[in-house]
Coordinates of all heavy atoms in Angstrom, one line a residue:
D1140 N 0.8 -1.2 0.0 CA 0.0 0.0 0.0 C 0.9 1.2 0.0 O 1.6 1.5 1.0 CB -0.9 0.0 1.3 CG -1.9 1.1 1.2 OD1 -1.8 2.1 0.5 OD2 -2.9 1.0 2.0
P1141 N 0.8 2.1 -1.1 CA 1.7 3.3 -1.1 C 1.4 4.3 -0.1 O 2.2 5.2 0.2 CB 1.4 3.8 -2.5 CG 0.1 3.3 -2.9 CD 0.0 1.9 -2.3
R1142 N 0.2 4.2 0.6 CA -0.1 5.2 1.6 C 0.5 4.8 3.0 O 0.5 5.6 3.9 CB -1.7 5.2 1.8 CG -2.3 5.8 0.5 CD -3.8 5.5 0.6 NE -4.1 4.1 0.6 CZ -5.3 3.5 0.6 NH1 -6.4 4.3 0.6 NH2 -5.5 2.2 0.6
K1143 N 1.0 3.5 3.1 CA 1.5 3.1 4.4 C 3.0 3.2 4.4 O 3.7 2.8 3.4 CB 1.1 1.6 4.7 CG -0.4 1.5 4.9 CD -0.8 0.0 5.2 CE -2.3 -0.2 5.5 NZ -2.6 -1.6 5.8
R1144 N 3.6 3.6 5.5 CA 5.0 3.6 5.6 C 5.6 2.7 6.7 O 6.8 2.5 6.8 CB 5.5 5.1 5.9 CG 4.8 5.7 7.1 CD 5.3 7.2 7.3 NE 4.7 7.8 8.4 CZ 3.7 8.7 8.3 NH1 3.2 9.0 7.1 NH2 3.1 9.2 9.4
T1145 N 4.7 2.1 7.5 CA 5.1 1.0 8.4 C 4.3 -0.2 8.3 O 3.1 -0.1 7.8 CB 5.1 1.6 9.9 OG1 3.7 1.9 10.2 CG2 6.0 2.8 10.1
G1146 N 4.8 -1.3 8.8 CA 4.0 -2.5 8.8 C 4.4 -3.4 7.6 O 5.0 -2.9 6.6
P1147 N 3.9 -4.6 7.6 CA 4.3 -5.6 6.5 C 3.7 -5.2 5.1 O 4.3 -5.7 4.1 CB 3.8 -6.9 7.0 CG 2.7 -6.6 8.0 CD 3.1 -5.3 8.6
D1148 N 2.7 -4.5 5.1 CA 2.0 -4.1 3.8 C 2.5 -2.7 3.3 O 2.0 -2.2 2.3 CB 0.5 -4.1 3.9 CG 0.0 -5.5 4.2 OD1 0.7 -6.5 3.8 OD2 -1.1 -5.7 4.8
A1149 N 3.3 -2.1 4.1 CA 3.8 -0.7 3.7 C 4.5 -0.8 2.4 O 5.4 -1.7 2.2 CB 4.7 -0.1 4.8
C1150 N 4.3 0.2 1.5 CA 5.1 0.2 0.2 C 6.5 0.4 0.5 O 6.9 1.4 1.2 CB 4.5 1.3 -0.6 SG 5.4 1.6 -2.2
P1151 N 7.4 -0.4 0.0 CA 8.8 -0.2 0.2 C 9.3 1.1 -0.2 O 10.2 1.7 0.4 CB 9.5 -1.3 -0.6 CG 8.4 -2.4 -0.7 CD 7.1 -1.7 -0.7
Y1152 N 8.8 1.7 -1.3 CA 9.2 3.0 -1.7 C 8.9 4.1 -0.7 O 9.7 5.0 -0.4 CB 8.5 3.4 -3.0 CG 9.1 2.8 -4.3 CD1 8.6 1.5 -4.7 CD2 10.1 3.3 -5.0 CE1 9.1 0.9 -5.8 CE2 10.7 2.7 -6.1 CZ 10.2 1.5 -6.5 OH 10.7 0.9 -7.6
T1153 N 7.7 4.0 -0.1 CA 7.3 4.9 0.9 C 8.2 4.9 2.2 O 8.7 5.9 2.7 CB 5.8 4.7 1.3 OG1 5.0 4.8 0.1 CG2 5.4 5.8 2.3
S1154 N 8.5 3.7 2.7 CA 9.3 3.5 3.8 C 10.7 4.0 3.5 O 11.4 4.7 4.3 CB 9.4 2.0 4.2 OG 8.1 1.5 4.5
L1155 N 11.3 3.6 2.3 CA 12.6 4.0 2.0 C 12.8 5.5 1.8 O 13.8 6.0 2.0 CB 13.0 3.2 0.7 CG 13.3 1.7 0.9 CD1 13.5 1.1 -0.5 CD2 14.5 1.4 1.8
Y1156 N 11.7 6.1 1.3 CA 11.8 7.5 1.0 C 12.1 8.3 2.3 O 13.0 9.2 2.3 CB 10.5 8.0 0.3 CG 10.4 9.5 0.2 CD1 11.2 10.2 -0.7 CD2 9.5 10.2 1.0 CE1 11.1 11.6 -0.8 CE2 9.4 11.6 0.9 CZ 10.2 12.3 0.0 OH 10.1 13.6 -0.1
W1157 N 11.3 8.0 3.3 CA 11.5 8.8 4.6 C 12.8 8.4 5.2 O 13.5 9.3 5.8 CB 10.3 8.5 5.5 CG 9.0 9.0 5.0 CD1 8.0 8.3 4.5 CD2 8.7 10.4 4.8 NE1 7.0 9.2 4.1 CE2 7.4 10.5 4.2 CE3 9.4 11.6 5.0 CZ2 6.7 11.7 3.9 CZ3 8.7 12.8 4.7 CH2 7.4 12.8 4.2
D1158 N 13.2 7.2 5.1 CA 14.5 6.8 5.6 C 15.7 7.5 4.9 O 16.7 7.9 5.5 CB 14.7 5.3 5.6 CG 16.0 4.8 6.1 OD1 16.3 4.9 7.3 OD2 16.8 4.3 5.2
F1159 N 15.5 7.6 3.6 CA 16.5 8.3 2.7 C 16.7 9.7 3.2 O 17.8 10.2 3.4 CB 16.1 8.3 1.3 CG 16.9 9.2 0.4 CD1 18.2 8.8 -0.1 CD2 16.4 10.4 0.0 CE1 18.9 9.6 -0.9 CE2 17.1 11.2 -0.8 CZ 18.4 10.8 -1.3
L1160 N 15.6 10.4 3.5 CA 15.7 11.8 4.0 C 16.4 11.9 5.3 O 17.2 12.7 5.6 CB 14.3 12.4 4.0 CG 13.6 12.6 2.7 CD1 12.2 13.3 3.0 CD2 14.4 13.5 1.7
A1161 N 16.0 10.9 6.2 CA 16.6 10.9 7.6 C 18.1 10.6 7.5 O 18.9 11.2 8.2 CB 15.8 10.0 8.5
R1162 N 18.4 9.6 6.6 CA 19.8 9.2 6.5 C 20.7 10.2 6.0 O 21.9 10.3 6.3 CB 19.8 7.9 5.7 CG 21.1 7.1 5.7 CD 20.8 5.8 4.9 NE 20.7 5.9 3.5 CZ 19.6 5.6 2.8 NH1 18.6 5.1 3.5 NH2 19.6 5.7 1.5
N1163 N 20.2 11.1 5.1 CA 21.0 12.1 4.4 C 20.6 13.5 4.7 O 20.9 14.4 3.9 CB 20.9 11.8 2.9 CG 21.4 10.5 2.5 OD1 22.6 10.2 2.5 ND2 20.4 9.6 2.1
R1164 N 20.0 13.7 5.9 CA 19.5 15.1 6.2 C 20.6 16.1 6.2 O 20.4 17.3 5.8 CB 18.7 15.0 7.5 CG 19.6 14.8 8.8 CD 18.7 14.8 10.0 NE 18.1 13.5 10.2 CZ 17.1 13.3 11.1 NH1 16.7 14.3 11.8 NH2 16.6 12.1 11.2
K1165 N 21.8 15.7 6.7 CA 22.9 16.7 6.7 C 23.3 17.1 5.3 O 23.6 18.2 5.0 CB 24.1 16.1 7.5 CG 23.8 16.0 9.0 CD 25.1 15.5 9.7 CE 24.8 15.4 11.2 NZ 26.1 14.9 11.9
E1166 N 23.5 16.1 4.4 CA 23.9 16.3 3.1 C 22.9 17.2 2.3 O 23.2 17.9 1.4 CB 24.2 15.0 2.3 CG 25.4 14.3 2.8 CD 25.1 13.5 4.1 OE1 24.0 13.5 4.6 OE2 26.1 12.9 4.6
L1167 N 21.6 17.0 2.6 CA 20.5 17.7 1.9 C 20.0 19.0 2.5 O 19.2 19.7 1.9 CB 19.3 16.7 1.7 CG 19.6 15.4 1.0 CD1 18.3 14.5 1.1 CD2 20.0 15.6 -0.4
A1168 N 20.5 19.3 3.7 CA 20.1 20.4 4.5 C 20.2 21.7 3.7 O 19.4 22.7 3.8 CB 20.8 20.5 5.8
G1169 N 21.3 21.9 2.9 CA 21.5 23.1 2.2 C 20.8 23.2 0.9 O 21.0 24.2 0.2
N1170 N 20.1 22.2 0.5 CA 19.3 22.2 -0.8 C 17.9 22.8 -0.6 O 17.1 22.2 0.1 CB 19.2 20.8 -1.3 CG 18.7 20.7 -2.7 OD1 17.7 21.4 -3.1 ND2 19.3 19.9 -3.6
H1171 N 17.7 24.0 -1.1 CA 16.4 24.7 -0.8 C 15.3 24.0 -1.4 O 14.1 24.1 -0.9 CB 16.5 26.1 -1.4 CG 16.4 26.2 -2.9 ND1 17.6 26.0 -3.7 CD2 15.4 26.4 -3.8 CE1 17.2 26.1 -5.0 NE2 15.9 26.4 -5.0
R1172 N 15.5 23.1 -2.5 CA 14.4 22.4 -3.1 C 14.0 21.2 -2.2 O 12.9 20.6 -2.5 CB 14.8 21.9 -4.4 CG 15.1 23.0 -5.4 CD 15.1 22.4 -6.8 NE 13.8 21.9 -7.3 CZ 13.7 21.2 -8.4 NH1 14.7 20.9 -9.2 NH2 12.5 20.8 -8.8
M1173 N 14.7 20.9 -1.2 CA 14.4 19.8 -0.3 C 13.9 20.3 1.1 O 13.6 19.4 2.0 CB 15.6 18.9 -0.1 CG 16.1 18.2 -1.4 SD 14.9 17.2 -2.1 CE 14.7 15.9 -0.9
S1174 N 13.8 21.5 1.3 CA 13.5 22.0 2.6 C 12.1 21.6 3.1 O 11.9 21.2 4.3 CB 13.6 23.6 2.7 OG 12.7 24.1 1.7
R1175 N 11.1 21.6 2.2 CA 9.8 21.2 2.6 C 9.7 19.7 3.0 O 9.1 19.3 4.0 CB 8.8 21.5 1.5 CG 7.3 21.2 1.8 CD 6.4 21.5 0.6 NE 6.5 22.9 0.3 CZ 5.8 23.5 -0.7 NH1 5.1 22.8 -1.5 NH2 5.9 24.8 -0.9
Q1176 N 10.4 18.9 2.2 CA 10.4 17.5 2.4 C 11.1 17.1 3.8 O 10.6 16.3 4.5 CB 11.1 16.7 1.3 CG 10.3 16.8 0.0 CD 10.8 18.0 -0.9 OE1 11.0 19.1 -0.4 NE2 10.8 17.7 -2.2
L1177 N 12.2 17.8 4.0 CA 12.9 17.6 5.3 C 12.1 18.0 6.5 O 12.2 17.4 7.5 CB 14.3 18.3 5.2 CG 15.3 17.7 4.2 CD1 16.5 18.6 4.1 CD2 15.7 16.3 4.6
A1178 N 11.4 19.1 6.3 CA 10.6 19.6 7.4 C 9.4 18.6 7.7 O 9.1 18.3 8.9 CB 10.0 21.0 7.0
A1179 N 8.9 18.0 6.6 CA 7.8 17.1 6.8 C 8.4 15.8 7.5 O 7.7 15.2 8.4 CB 7.2 16.7 5.5
M1180 N 9.5 15.4 7.1 CA 10.2 14.2 7.7 C 10.4 14.5 9.2 O 10.1 13.6 10.0 CB 11.5 13.9 7.0 CG 12.3 12.7 7.6 SD 13.4 13.2 8.9 CE 14.5 14.3 8.0

């Protein structure tokens, strides 16, 4: 399910997306095009 980010039925893309932002928040912090996504994360 693309709407789910946790649990066995969560879409891998959705889970990985938020983990990607958290994992690379320092590297992406200076990118103004990512500010909204990082804030949501």
Side-chain angles (χ1 to χ4, degrees):
D1140 188 340
R1142 296 166 297 182
K1143 294 183 179 180
R1144 54 183 179 259
T1145 62
D1148 295 332
C1150 175
Y1152 284 91
T1153 304
S1154 304
L1155 289 171
Y1156 172 70
W1157 295 112
D1158 179 70
F1159 169 79
L1160 295 181
R1162 193 170 70 242
N1163 298 289
R1164 70 180 80 190
K1165 290 183 179 179
E1166 289 80 2
L1167 301 176
N1170 189 318
H1171 73 279
R1172 296 193 66 189
M1173 298 299 297
S1174 57
R1175 182 179 300 178
Q1176 295 91 322
L1177 291 172
M1180 181 269 298

